[in-house]
Amino acid sequence: MVELSPIEINGHTFLAVTVLLPKTTLLAVTNDKGYIMCGALDVGLLNDKLKDRKIIAGRAVGVRTIEQLLNAPLESVTWEAEELGIHKGMIGKEALLKMI
């Protein structure tokens, strides 16, 4: 099952995506500029093999809900995210607000 729902953070709308798979759940919150995602995100792949795409993204591990993803510290971020001031340890929703 896939669940899509708009969420608002400080007056800005983002899209929350939950994908229920056997034995795991994929979580992401996105806008037209970038996204944060659960531990399934491979930041190394984005930075190395897909660096020409300049993807703005952050990864949080150990999260099981969108609410946890929004409030968890990011474990890693892409180089493009760092250029916006998003850094490892930043809370998910703070990182999203840097993507405005």
Side-chain angles (χ1 to χ4, degrees):
M1 180 175 88
V2 177
E3 181 181 313
L4 305 171
S5 57
I7 59 171
E8 191 172 305
I9 303 170
N10 291 359
H12 300 281
T13 303
F14 296 87
L15 179 64
V17 181
T18 303
V19 181
L20 300 176
L21 299 171
K23 301 183 184 180
T24 194
T25 301
L26 301 179
L27 302 167
V29 179
T30 186
N31 69 1
D32 61 347
K33 195 168 190 177
Y35 57 93
I36 59 171
M37 191 171 167
C38 65
L41 179 64
D42 187 342
V43 171
L45 174 76
L46 299 180
N47 281 338
D48 297 332
K49 304 227 184 252
L50 303 177
K51 67 181 172 184
D52 59 314
R53 297 185 187 183
K54 300 181 185 232
I55 296 170
I56 298 167
R59 174 181 189 236
V61 295
V63 296
R64 294 177 184 251
T65 67
I66 292 294
E67 189 65 30
Q68 288 176 354
L69 178 60
L70 293 172
N71 292 297
L74 298 178
E75 178 267 343
S76 56
V77 301
T78 61
W79 296 328
E80 291 297 317
E82 287 177 348
E83 299 245 342
L84 286 179
I86 299 166
H87 54 81
K88 179 180 174 179
M90 179 178 275
I91 300 301
K93 64 176 119 180
E94 293 172 3
L96 289 167
L97 291 171
K98 295 264 188 191
M99 297 178 197
I100 301 299

